[in-house]
Amino acid sequence: VRVPPSGTWERRAADLFAAAEDWVGKPGVTAAAGLERLVRRYLGGFGPATPGDVANYVGLQTKTITPVLERMRTRRFLDERGKELVDLPAAPLPDPDTPAPVRMLPTWDSTLLAHARRTGILSEAHRSKVFSTKTPQSVPTFLVDGFVAGTWRYEKGRVQLSPFDKLDRRTQRELQQEADRLTAFHE
């Protein structure tokens, strides 16, 4: 853990680190149990996912995550490319024909940041509009039918929408309703 002092607000000094046990005490669980909990929490938020997605998110190699997944009770699927996906056994899955509602994603949203290239929701044609060397953290985006379809910003007391392509009237209406809810939240 990083410990004080590491400088002041005006003059930053080198970070100082110490063993976490020295500050918070010995852990009450084993490393294996902690890793399993971490994997469960990831799948609870982002499953179904490939073992590689899980490993990438937690900063470990897939070969470290695979035995954890093998010990856990999981559901297994194949994605459209034949890659194995794992999920928690009781995690809800919507009917495949369920329409995805429009959604606003903020800057730093893990849907876009927590995975390797997510062409499943962000087309390469629009990637540079969301990520660049000036905005590696992403910009606020919105989803239409589960895909990034534009960007938004809160400006002059309103959520302003900038779609990448022309949207049908029903989608425009749904987006505006969602933008109005987000505007109210900002207020």
Side-chain angles (χ1 to χ4, degrees), residues 84-165:
E84 181 182 55
L85 301 173
V86 292
D87 203 1
L88 298 174
L93 290 174
D95 182 284
D97 295 327
T98 302
V102 298
R103 288 291 182 251
M104 305 293 183
L105 301 180
T107 301
W108 296 106
D109 191 84
S110 60
T111 305
L112 293 173
L113 297 175
H115 303 287
R117 292 197 179 263
R118 292 304 262 179
T119 53
I121 64 168
L122 176 60
S123 78
E124 286 299 323
H126 299 304
R127 186 172 190 71
S128 64
K129 298 170 189 167
V130 177
F131 296 102
S132 72
T133 55
K134 292 181 181 180
T135 58
Q137 73 279 3
S138 83
V139 296
T141 59
F142 59 83
L143 304 179
V144 172
D145 198 26
F147 295 92
V148 176
T151 62
W152 65 269
R153 67 188 178 287
Y154 183 72
E155 190 173 86
K156 298 179 182 173
R158 303 255 340 129
V159 170
Q160 310 282 329
L161 302 170
S162 299
F164 296 148
D165 299 307

